Amino acid sequence: MGRTSSLSGVSLTRWSKVLGLGLWLVCATWWGPPLSLAADAGKLVEKDGKYVFVESMDPATKLLLERAVKQGTITREEYEAVARESQERAYLLQPSFKVWYDRGFNFSMNDNAFFLKMRFRTQIRFTQRTRNEAYRNPGEAKNFPELLGVFGDYRANRSEDSAAQFNIRRMRMYFMGHLFSPDFKYYIQMRAETAENAQAPGGLALMDVNFSSTHLSWLNAQVGQYKMFFNRSQINSTASMQFAERALVQDAFTASGLDRRDIGITVMNDEELFPVNYYFGVFNGAGPSFNRLGSFQSEEPTQGCPGGATGGNPFPSPAGCPVNQRNLNANVRLDVNKLMYVGRLMWNIMGRPGYGEGDLAYSESPQLAMGGGYAYNPSINTSSNNSFVGIDLANLNFRRQLAAFGNGRQLGLGIVDYSTWAVDSVFKYRGFSLQGEFYFKNVTRHEKGLPCMNTACTVTAPGQFGNAFGWYVQSGYYLIPRKVELAGRFAYWDPDTHSGDDLVKQSDVSLNWYLNGTYDQSIAVTYSNIQMGTGGYAVGRSAPLPSASGTVPLDVRGGTLIENLIRVQYQLFF
Amino acid sequence: MNGRSQPVAMLVAVLVLIGLGCARIPYTTTVVHEDQRVAVRLQREITLAGYTHPVQIPPQQVAALLRGFSLREQQRLPLRWFAEETPPKKLFREDELQVLAPQLADALQKVGSEERVYFEVFAPGMNPRYRRDVTGGWVAVHDQLLHLTIDYFHVQQPVTQSDPYDYNYPTPWTPEKTYLLYFEPGRFFLADPKTGRRSVDFREFLKTTSSP
């Protein structure tokens, strides 16, 4: 195939071709090489196990030369010498790079020592949402509270019963490829999307930057910031889901308990080669674009005395602590020598189903895999071990992550260690898919006593702090192979095993149309019903409250938060 | 919605879907040959086809038949108004015919009446570690008519299931495209009375070629 023609040889709309060409022109200008496309003068062939570029002589010239050999005008040696020189000339006239479109804009040096693929992905969504009266009062204050100000006051998330909004749910820019050799890879992902969650505002942000070595198939290594290899639903890209959005339970049980991404290193074997895959990683355990040195808490000038509001010592401080003076307080970093450990094993029992949801590939033979992961993330500061909301000066990064991923009930538990387990399995065959996971999170509090409700610590919070578990099962079937899929999911989540009336149940049905028979262009219509219990104790949001905080907690009204959503989403990945 | 009834409903739905899980596109029954350059497989049709397989056609004659084909991609409207003015391209180069024809001839002797012979010809892709250039399709014989369909013509296809640079993203093959096929000499390219599809009267055509 001619190399110039490959720019237009793929199923790409005229629109994206124009856009792509424009982008390529900009990039080509930046990088400096002369703006010229590779000539259609040869092809890549495999020779002695290597791919080499061989020029094809012009057929007319070849015919004339062969005829000349037959007629004895030139000798066979002369013919071969001319052919060789022609090939060398054509080879030398080639640009040293090539540019083409193939699921992204590709730029490569001819020796394949450098390769860059640029891709863009967007999910544009319309959401029609209805909520019951409980969302107006009391609102969602426990799993997904909103944090206000530098003190991180817990706020109930309330809204009226109906909403209809467009948003750019995901806008991603990818720069990936290899350096030096195809076995040293890089990957950069940026995002810019509409803010719909007060804990995760919009704007351009770095999501991933990592390097991978695949020199040894049994010992690949990836270092940088990326999604941890822990459980199936989080490893999978949001570009290849059966529903417009993950289930809430899938987000709540990430490896770190904070976010699906982190900074660290993972060693693993090659998923494409081995039937059993291992992954072992060490990370900061602090979430993306952050580490534990960025997390602090307030301390008085006197070491070991917790800081707080000026003129008082509201915490159950150690004996001898003076009245604190906030303007003289310090920010102290504790537990900064701690790291998170993540491990995962996966067995491809039949075939190789991969991580993408649904059987888009229409597997000809049954595909079955099961796996499990364990993650230990110690010493996460969920905010001080008391209910004095509004006086707990500390960095809010951990708390915002907890609230954004639905682990708001763990706010206020002091320093905790997370041990999270996940077990998953998937089956695919001829357009049918079945997938499920079970999660369990053990929350170990460092402060073993109950949180104090007043300065003298004569009133304490009820002892309802438990662990968390959840599961989901989802299935799909391609009504039209590789084109139209119908999928259903049910998810169950108990965010605090010691609390009652706090269960989260979610049901989803989705009809997906994959326009090109790949995940790259799709329209999904997903209906979701989400029911969240408002029961259970949550520090700072349930009775008893601190003495100065009034007597009417959010639990008085209670009830179940019920939400029905229809999401219509268009995805384009190019 | 009742919480207890939801898992039961889901289970019932799953069982129904498993029951529906029969093949709806042709599927591979036999791998006749597979190497780095060419793959030839027998695929079971999902509806009654009634082909007149197996059939014996020597490799040289298979090559002669394939040599007569050219094609161009069928565009969807409105692109069709502009794109199909391009002249058809030769379907196979000589080096491709050399590796494909013997395997195709072999497969035509093994294929059953409800099967088709599916083939793929490979070449290194633009990013040769992770992509292959694929020309693929299938052939079947109805009486004296040889039917050829092309699904891919020099399409870049991934060699791995996941993107090698984005581990979290699967890369299924680009689906089949529709191509308009042509055959020279055109007098042998006839409409099959059974299917209405254009096919080559290979017995008449082969009479015009020199015997091997």
Side-chain angles (χ1 to χ4, degrees), chain A residues 68-326:
Chain A
V69 172
K70 275 187 181 173
Q71 292 170 349
T73 312
I74 61 171
T75 64
R76 170 60 62 182
E77 290 73 25
E78 286 173 324
Y79 168 78
E80 287 176 356
V82 167
R84 204 164 37 245
E85 282 174 17
S86 172
Q87 285 192 1
E88 285 173 5
R89 179 175 175 276
Y91 184 79
L92 290 170
L93 288 174
Q94 294 286 322
S96 55
F97 63 89
K98 51 190 177 183
V99 180
W100 73 101
Y101 178 84
D102 171 27
R103 300 186 190 192
F105 306 101
N106 297 266
F107 174 91
S108 171
M109 303 309 288
N110 281 350
D111 61 3
N112 208 23
F114 174 78
F115 172 66
L116 167 68
K117 179 190 281 284
M118 287 186 291
R119 299 199 76 177
F120 298 83
R121 175 163 69 96
T122 185
Q123 290 180 344
I124 298 171
R125 179 186 296 177
F126 174 76
T127 304
Q128 176 67 53
R129 184 184 81 190
T130 56
R131 290 176 161 179
N132 69 345
E133 181 58 26
Y135 264 101
R136 186 67 187 84
N137 185 16
E140 200 336 77
K142 294 181 176 173
N143 298 311
F144 296 93
E146 293 182 324
L147 305 185
L148 181 72
V150 295
F151 296 98
D153 286 359
Y154 307 127
R155 294 297 179 106
N157 181 348
R158 290 178 166 177
S159 65
E160 55 189 9
D161 61 356
S162 179
Q165 292 289 298
F166 288 97
N167 70 348
I168 298 173
R169 179 61 187 85
R170 292 182 176 87
M171 174 64 214
R172 303 285 168 83
M173 289 155 279
Y174 303 83
F175 303 89
M176 52 188 151
H178 59 249
L179 294 164
F180 315 127
S181 91
D183 283 315
F184 187 71
K185 302 177 173 72
Y186 64 91
Y187 180 83
I188 300 166
Q189 183 180 185
M190 310 286 290
R191 76 171 175 197
E193 43 213 33
T194 308
E196 199 168 67
N197 182 322
Q199 309 304 325
L204 189 65
L206 177 72
M207 290 199 85
D208 295 299
V209 56
N210 59 73
F211 296 91
S212 302
S213 163
T214 54
H215 294 85
L216 300 174
S217 61
W218 54 274
L219 189 70
N220 291 349
Q222 188 172 76
V223 62
Q225 178 171 303
Y226 49 93
K227 285 203 290 187
M228 292 166 281
F229 294 90
F230 173 61
N231 66 45
R232 174 166 292 280
S233 60
Q234 296 294 338
I235 293 172
N236 178 42
S237 168
T238 50
S240 46
M241 296 196 300
Q242 289 177 298
F243 304 89
E245 201 58 71
R246 290 190 179 96
L248 298 179
V249 69
Q250 295 172 327
D251 281 339
F253 291 85
T254 58
S256 66
L258 302 172
D259 194 287
R260 58 184 71 90
R261 287 180 166 79
D262 217 295
I263 305 171
I265 184 169
T266 299
V267 292
M268 63 193 115
N269 60 5
D270 191 329
E271 291 173 8
E272 301 280 338
L273 297 178
F274 296 95
V276 176
N277 302 125
Y278 77 89
Y279 310 81
F280 178 73
V282 182
F283 296 86
N284 288 330
S289 301
F290 196 67
N291 69 17
R292 289 174 192 252
L293 289 170
S295 177
F296 58 80
Q297 60 193 76
S298 187
E299 185 180 59
E300 285 190 52
T302 305
Q303 185 179 326
C305 295
T310 304
N313 193 341
F315 298 90
S317 301
C321 283
V323 171
N324 59 40
Q325 303 172 56
R326 200 166 79 196

Side-chain angles (χ1 to χ4, degrees), chain A residues 270-384:
Chain A
D270 191 329
E271 291 173 8
E272 301 280 338
L273 297 178
F274 296 95
V276 176
N277 302 125
Y278 77 89
Y279 310 81
F280 178 73
V282 182
F283 296 86
N284 288 330
S289 301
F290 196 67
N291 69 17
R292 289 174 192 252
L293 289 170
S295 177
F296 58 80
Q297 60 193 76
S298 187
E299 185 180 59
E300 285 190 52
T302 305
Q303 185 179 326
C305 295
T310 304
N313 193 341
F315 298 90
S317 301
C321 283
V323 171
N324 59 40
Q325 303 172 56
R326 200 166 79 196
N327 58 332
L328 293 178
N329 281 351
N331 291 334
V332 60
R333 274 83 177 167
L334 303 173
D335 298 315
V336 289
N337 61 341
K338 297 290 196 324
L339 292 168
M340 177 177 71
Y341 301 92
V342 182
R344 174 175 170 79
L345 269 177
M346 187 177 70
W347 179 23
N348 292 296
I349 301 168
M350 289 192 281
R352 201 170 294 278
Y355 284 106
E357 295 179 0
D359 191 20
L360 180 62
Y362 199 81
S363 307
E364 285 197 337
S365 59
Q367 310 285 307
L368 176 64
M370 62 182 301
Y374 171 72
Y376 175 67
N377 193 17
S379 299
I380 295 300
N381 188 346
T382 66
S383 85
S384 295

Side-chain angles (χ1 to χ4, degrees), chain A residues 295-545:
Chain A
S295 177
F296 58 80
Q297 60 193 76
S298 187
E299 185 180 59
E300 285 190 52
T302 305
Q303 185 179 326
C305 295
T310 304
N313 193 341
F315 298 90
S317 301
C321 283
V323 171
N324 59 40
Q325 303 172 56
R326 200 166 79 196
N327 58 332
L328 293 178
N329 281 351
N331 291 334
V332 60
R333 274 83 177 167
L334 303 173
D335 298 315
V336 289
N337 61 341
K338 297 290 196 324
L339 292 168
M340 177 177 71
Y341 301 92
V342 182
R344 174 175 170 79
L345 269 177
M346 187 177 70
W347 179 23
N348 292 296
I349 301 168
M350 289 192 281
R352 201 170 294 278
Y355 284 106
E357 295 179 0
D359 191 20
L360 180 62
Y362 199 81
S363 307
E364 285 197 337
S365 59
Q367 310 285 307
L368 176 64
M370 62 182 301
Y374 171 72
Y376 175 67
N377 193 17
S379 299
I380 295 300
N381 188 346
T382 66
S383 85
S384 295
N385 181 34
N386 60 71
S387 280
F388 296 95
V389 180
I391 55 173
D392 183 20
L393 265 173
N395 184 286
L396 299 181
N397 191 290
F398 284 170
R399 300 180 206 180
R400 290 195 189 281
Q401 292 183 76
L402 286 165
F405 279 69
N407 290 309
R409 287 174 187 270
Q410 288 146 26
L411 289 166
L413 297 188
I415 312 291
V416 300
D417 298 338
Y418 288 130
S419 293
T420 312
W421 298 85
V423 180
D424 64 79
S425 187
V426 61
F427 174 78
K428 298 178 182 179
Y429 184 49
R430 287 183 178 172
F432 169 79
S433 64
L434 177 64
Q435 169 178 327
E437 287 188 70
F438 178 84
Y439 309 110
F440 176 75
K441 182 188 291 177
N442 186 61
V443 183
T444 303
R445 298 174 60 231
H446 285 208
E447 293 84 2
K448 299 301 179 187
L450 295 173
C452 298
M453 292 297 117
N454 57 19
T455 52
C457 203
T458 55
V459 180
T460 57
Q464 292 184 338
F465 307 128
N467 300 315
F469 81 92
W471 56 268
Y472 75 87
V473 60
Q474 66 186 54
S475 183
Y477 185 68
Y478 275 82
L479 304 173
I480 302 172
R482 300 199 67 173
K483 289 286 186 184
V484 179
E485 180 191 34
L486 182 65
R489 174 174 67 194
F490 180 76
Y492 181 96
W493 171 23
D494 184 353
D496 187 337
T497 53
H498 286 183
S499 291
D501 301 322
D502 64 340
L503 298 180
V504 180
K505 298 172 187 172
Q506 180 173 349
S507 305
D508 308 86
V509 178
S510 193
L511 185 65
N512 310 314
W513 178 23
Y514 300 91
L515 281 73
N516 294 337
T518 69
Y519 294 107
D520 291 351
Q521 193 182 14
S522 65
I523 297 171
V525 181
T526 302
Y527 164 76
S528 302
N529 173 274
I530 303 171
Q531 301 175 33
M532 273 195 276
T534 59
Y537 182 81
V539 172
R541 291 149 281 175
S542 303
L545 289 174

